[in-house]
Amino acid sequence: MEQANVVIIGGGVVGCAIARALASRWSDVFVLEALPKIGMAASSRNSGVIHSGLYYPPGSLKARLCVRGNELTYEFCEGHGVPYRRTGKLVVATSPAESQELVALMKNGEANGVEGMRIIDRAAIRAREPHVNGFEAIEVPSTGIVGSEELTKAYARIAKDRGANIVTNAKVERLEHTRDGIRIVSTAGEIETRCLVNSAGLFADEIAAMLGSPLAANKIYPVRGEYCELVRSKQHLICGPVYPLPHPEGVSLGVHFTKTVWGNVLLGPTAVYLDDKNNYERDRQSVEQFACGAKLLLPEIESSDLIPAYSGIRAKLTPPPKHGEKCVADFIIQRDPEFSQVVQLIGIESPGLTSAPAIAEHVSGLVAEILA
């Protein structure tokens, strides 16, 4: 049976970023991806935003890794030809009643180390986004946009250049603890590894359960985010990322507008809890519903200006919130408490794309403890 130093389960943007980092330090690094290509799930079904670190609780992994990942992602894109733009963004309060919440959000970002923010008035909003309705907004200069699929492929390309092996169509079917490590049985064959990294995204809880890990108790709740796209003739209505204040219960950052690196304008994502981790299309929201919600920020928009786009599914660690409850959970990134050769990553949702290179740094340190 083939032996490896490290096997990473999951070939999304985080798994590929980890492979790039580990392959520079160790030989025999493998990535097992269940789907036919890398990055086919949440890694390419998102807004493609390089987040600043504004929203997350101070001291949390999400906050620390997002702020660090913001810097590293820009450096990586610049150095490896990944399409990106440092656009900045607006987080908009549409009425005076939301001003206090806006100030609190900015203070949260400052506590996380997000630099350069300021609150601007209606005139300054209009100067930047002539068609957007807003009373005040936080201007966040460190936010940007990136080609998410290209970013994932670039991490994977460099990982392979450094000797990593990326195997697709390799769905993990069984995990066994052995004397010297972990045996992985997948649809691509069997392999034994000294160190296992679970970066399986939506299915990370199921991978943890296969091993019998106590961390499998952290159930992943699939939450679908749907997008619409502005028709070409209306793309001029938005110049850059424009966000409302985040969902009060913490389920999402709110349905926002994003002008991608390719020039099209996305509206989304929504946040709908699902019973099926593969349900990308059933019972989707209508363009009329999208348009109704979007009018608060962009009054000119009509349902005829929108066409359905793709959807993605977040790996949430919190169940549907009851009325008034906050729905907030941090990333889980740690060595398994029972299986010392295993690093578990569970609940890696937004800002996972931005945080990926910082997560890779963090995981590299944990792997070094195992392979010392």
Side-chain angles (χ1 to χ4, degrees):
M1 181 184 302
E2 191 157 11
Q3 301 284 329
N5 277 319
V6 186
V7 170
I8 302 159
I9 299 175
V13 65
V14 172
C16 290
I18 293 170
R20 167 183 170 255
L22 299 187
S24 68
R25 300 182 63 179
W26 294 282
S27 60
D28 296 322
V29 173
F30 284 76
V31 176
L32 303 184
E33 167 54 48
L35 296 174
K37 296 180 181 179
I38 60 168
M40 289 183 70
S43 298
S44 57
R45 293 171 170 266
N46 56 70
S47 300
V49 171
I50 302 173
H51 285 292
S52 63
L54 172 66
Y55 301 97
Y56 317 108
S60 65
L61 279 176
K62 283 184 176 180
R64 293 180 1 236
L65 295 174
C66 184
V67 171
R68 173 64 174 155
N70 176 279
E71 174 188 353
L72 292 176
T73 300
Y74 282 125
E75 289 178 3
F76 181 82
C77 292
E78 184 65 29
H80 296 92
V82 177
Y84 81 98
R85 284 195 294 122
R86 191 187 293 263
T87 57
K89 82 171 179 184
L90 297 181
V91 181
V92 179
T94 56
S95 72
E98 294 181 328
S99 289
Q100 190 172 350
E101 193 176 344
L102 201 71
V103 170
L105 181 60
M106 191 171 85
K107 287 181 177 177
N108 189 84
E110 289 171 341
N112 289 341
V114 181
E115 298 179 346
M117 295 180 294
R118 63 180 184 134
I119 291 181
I120 61 175
D121 61 14
R122 187 186 300 274
I125 293 170
R126 286 286 185 171
R128 178 170 172 151
E129 293 283 353
H131 303 276
V132 168
N133 172 55
F135 173 72
E136 287 181 330
I138 306 172
E139 188 177 58
V140 190
S142 57
T143 298
I145 54 174
V146 65
S148 53
E149 186 174 349
E150 290 75 13
L151 181 63
T152 304
K153 288 179 178 177
Y155 286 140
R157 182 180 68 249
I158 295 167
K160 288 191 284 189
D161 288 346
R162 293 175 175 176
N165 304 276
I166 297 179
V167 185
T168 55
N169 290 309
K171 182 178 180 180
V172 174
E173 298 178 321
R174 192 167 73 252
L175 297 172
E176 300 171 1
H177 189 256
T178 69
R179 185 183 67 180
D180 299 318
I182 305 292
R183 179 181 295 118
I184 302 110
V185 180
S186 79
T187 51
E190 296 186 19
I191 190 169
E192 190 168 313
T193 184
R194 295 172 60 202
C195 174
L196 177 68
V197 177
N198 174 12
S199 183
L202 271 176
F203 302 93
D205 57 340
E206 297 177 30
I207 294 296
M210 280 186 196
L211 196 62
S213 167
L215 292 179
N218 294 284
K219 173 181 169 60
I220 287 174
Y221 297 86
V223 176
R224 186 171 65 200
E226 304 168 19
Y227 291 87
C228 276
E229 185 176 336
L230 282 181
V231 296
R232 186 176 297 274
S233 62
K234 295 301 176 74
Q235 289 175 358
H236 68 280
L237 295 178
I238 291 291
C239 301
V242 178
Y243 283 60
L245 282 162
H247 193 286
E249 294 173 331
V251 176
S252 77
L253 301 183
V255 174
H256 51 266
F257 291 94
T258 307
K259 196 155 200 168
T260 72
V261 289
W262 316 118
N264 55 318
V265 177
L266 296 174
L267 172 58
T270 56
V272 180
Y273 278 83
L274 303 171
D275 295 324
D276 179 358
K277 290 180 179 180
N278 295 298
N279 176 10
Y280 287 92
E281 297 299 331
R282 291 196 305 276
D283 302 316
R284 286 193 53 170
Q285 188 168 297
S286 69
V287 292
E288 288 79 13
Q289 289 171 302
F290 267 95
C292 182
K295 277 183 175 292
L296 196 61
L297 282 176
L298 195 66
E300 296 173 49
I301 201 169
E302 301 293 343
S303 58
S304 57
D305 300 329
L306 294 171
I307 53 176
Y310 54 83
S311 66
I313 301 178
R314 308 171 181 88
K316 299 288 288 188
L317 284 174
T318 49
K322 297 176 183 177
H323 182 70
E325 285 185 345
K326 290 290 282 185
C327 176
V328 178
D330 202 3
F331 293 153
I332 295 172
I333 305 174
Q334 64 178 83
R335 288 180 66 180
D336 194 278
E338 190 163 323
F339 302 95
S340 60
Q341 309 99 322
V342 179
V343 178
Q344 301 278 11
L345 290 82
I346 304 176
I348 309 300
E349 54 164 337
S350 181
L353 182 79
T354 303
S355 303
I359 291 173
E361 281 185 337
H362 185 55
V363 169
S364 186
L366 298 175
V367 171
E369 294 173 5
I370 296 169
L371 297 182

